[in-house]
Amino acid sequence: MRVLIIGAGILGASAAYHLASQGVEVEIVDEAHQGKATMAGAGIVCPWATKADEPDWYRMYAAGARFYDGLIEGLKAKGETDLGYGKVGALVVAEDRAEFDAAAERVARRVKDAPEAGTVRHLTPAEARTLFPPLREDLDAIHIPGAARVDARLLSAAMVRAAVAMGAKFRSDYVTLKLDGDRARCLDSNGTEIAADEIIVTAGAWASQILRPLGLDHPVVPQKGQIVHLRLPGVATAKWPVVLPMSSHYMLAFDDSRVVIGATRENNSGFDYRVTAAGEYEVLGAGLNIAPGLANATLIETRIGFRPAGETMNPILGRVPGIANLTLGNGLGAGGLTIGPFAGAQLARVVTGQATDIPLDRYAPQGRG
Ligand SMILES: Cc1cc2nc3c(=O)[nH]c(=O)nc-3n(C[C@H](O)[C@H](O)[C@H](O)COP(=O)(O)OP(=O)(O)OC[C@H]3O[C@@H](n4cnc5c(N)ncnc54)[C@H](O)[C@@H]3O)c2cc1C
């Protein structure tokens, strides 16, 4: 069987890696659009503190985090060590005491079923600042040692590289789909068909565009995120934990003295690939309010990504009704770097006719109207 994967963000890269691992013949095509979400995403893997409570979405979010350890081990066994992954832990903080207590209750309830979260502890403000020194002096924290951060640029590149090492083909191109009876056919940018028995569309925020000629009214739209990268010259930040202030903003750190503050969630900006004054102001204001010790950091870049946002929070995963050879993975929204590797492995199982690790009926794509 020959499987064509359209889109090599975290989701397509994972599907390719898992299919190639099973010996399936795979071709991956990726246009790498400006604003590809996987290139901009923060990389927090910590499902246990979120305020969002939708059970179907949370099941997928938690399964995504649980999946990571095995994925990282598997990639390392294949010689892929540059993954930007670290179990650095997370500090959950809140300015409001009632909000902090609610978060503590939520985390305690959720980690009961998640040994990978580690032993959760309440830290005093001084203890929290030994782990994340720029933090404000008055914030207690809930410490979740099993939380992680990942550089999704490195991880997705590693999954594609590993797939290619196992025989997959990769090409940079913009492709289109057309309908032929009850099957989809894929054309490259020269109009030449790319032969495939099965097609998987993992095209992120651009999925609605490629699916439209098939008569599919796909509900996913771009949600713009602006995310700020700072440098603290000479400071060893590699082991700093993620900071989750129970708002839509957060902080995390990487190896190269880099601290990241995220992110805006802009629902009506379309594919507007620009850093805006309001976006920068919002993110820096939220970050410096929680971590004033970052005030003197160097502002090195602001990344922009378009989250693939559906009508509900749930990802959309599975075979497309009415089109015999088409499988869709999309709608990962703000949790895609957590959910993506697990979801990609599920797409690989769908296409090869294996049972999925959790039932996917609740996440099924819509068919042709
Ligand atoms: C600022 C920001 C912060 C985030 N932080 C986190 C976080 O901390 N934790 C977390 O879990 N998630 C986070 N996310 C969410 C996460 O980044 C996304 O959900 C995830 O990256 C989506 O992956 P994807 O593979 O579906 O899409 P993408 O990464 O967007 O990849 C889609 C790919 O498909 C290609 N494509 C589309 N159409 C075509 C075509 N016709 N031909 C060829 N190629 C095509 C595109 O060029 C692109 O490369 C964040 C997102 C943003 C924007």
Side-chain angles (χ1 to χ4, degrees):
M1 178 171 54
R2 192 163 196 285
V3 180
L4 176 65
I5 298 174
I6 302 172
I10 190 102
L11 187 50
S14 170
Y17 170 65
H18 287 94
L19 282 167
S21 301
Q22 295 171 47
V24 175
E25 194 185 339
V26 177
E27 177 155 2
I28 311 150
V29 195
D30 188 54
E31 167 71 0
H33 282 91
Q34 274 190 334
K36 175 178 180 173
T38 302
M39 301 298 278
I44 300 167
V45 181
C46 178
W48 310 290
T50 178
K51 284 193 220 169
D53 241 346
E54 285 78 353
D56 292 326
W57 174 78
Y58 185 74
R59 186 175 310 117
M60 198 54 86
Y61 201 35
R66 201 172 308 127
F67 189 75
Y68 254 90
D69 280 343
L71 174 77
I72 299 294
E73 243 171 66
L75 283 164
K76 284 187 174 162
K78 291 196 157 38
E80 293 293 346
T81 51
D82 194 14
L83 304 170
Y85 178 77
K87 267 205 171 177
V88 293
L91 299 176
V92 178
V93 298
E95 294 187 270
D96 176 77
R97 191 71 216 182
E99 182 129 52
F100 182 81
D101 292 343
E105 180 281 320
R106 216 164 38 236
V107 170
R109 172 164 42 86
R110 285 178 174 151
V111 299
K112 276 191 200 142
D113 304 325
E116 66 276 13
T119 305
V120 172
R121 277 200 322 130
H122 184 146
L123 304 186
T124 63
E127 288 172 323
R129 276 163 52 84
T130 60
L131 296 177
F132 195 96
L135 203 60
R136 226 165 75 184
E137 290 178 10
D138 61 332
L139 295 173
D140 288 37
I142 304 153
H143 182 231
I144 310 176
R149 55 94 172 126
V150 65
D151 183 335
R153 294 181 171 197
L154 296 179
L155 178 65
S156 56
M159 289 193 286
V160 169
R161 217 166 31 234
V164 169
M166 290 182 280
K169 287 196 190 121
F170 178 88
R171 65 161 112 171
S172 300
D173 198 5
Y174 180 80
V175 297
T176 50
L177 292 174
K178 69 175 189 179
L179 201 59
D180 184 1
D182 69 343
R183 295 181 68 80
R185 290 169 60 185
C186 181
L187 305 179
D188 71 12
S189 53
N190 297 317
T192 306
E193 180 165 5
I194 305 177
D197 301 303
E198 293 282 345
I199 297 174
I200 302 180
V201 171
T202 44
W206 298 268
S208 303
Q209 296 172 3
I210 194 173
L211 294 172
R212 202 165 296 127
L214 303 179
L216 294 166
D217 187 15
H218 185 58
V220 164
V221 295
Q223 184 195 60
K224 178 176 172 182
Q226 303 186 51
I227 182 165
V228 175
H229 288 231
L230 307 175
R231 179 156 290 133
L232 288 169
V235 180
T237 55
K239 298 206 166 107
W240 286 9
V242 171
V243 177
L244 297 172
M246 294 296 92
S247 63
S248 61
H249 302 94
Y250 47 77
M251 264 156 287
L252 68 160
F254 288 92
D255 301 358
D256 51 347
S257 301
R258 185 183 289 254
V259 179
V260 177
I261 311 176
T264 63
R265 293 191 184 202
E266 300 164 57
N267 285 319
N268 297 307
S269 336
F271 290 103
D272 175 17
Y273 189 75
R274 283 183 313 126
V275 176
T276 63
E280 194 102 326
Y281 177 75
E282 174 193 321
V283 173
L284 284 174
L288 294 185
N289 174 40
I290 296 295
L294 293 174
N296 201 33
T298 314
L299 203 164
I300 50 177
E301 63 176 312
T302 300
R303 295 182 183 174
I304 296 165
F306 300 110
R307 305 177 186 91
E311 282 167 329
T312 73
M313 286 179 81
N314 281 349
I316 300 169
L317 299 169
R319 286 198 170 277
V320 177
I323 304 182
N325 60 340
L326 190 66
T327 298
L328 179 59
N330 202 216
L332 299 188
L337 301 183
T338 307
I339 297 172
F342 174 74
Q346 303 315 303
L347 293 179
R349 299 183 78 83
V350 167
V351 166
T352 51
Q354 300 171 71
T356 50
D357 296 322
I358 57 178
L360 294 187
D361 343 354
R362 310 297 291 245
Y363 313 98
Q366 292 165 19
R368 300 180 61 222

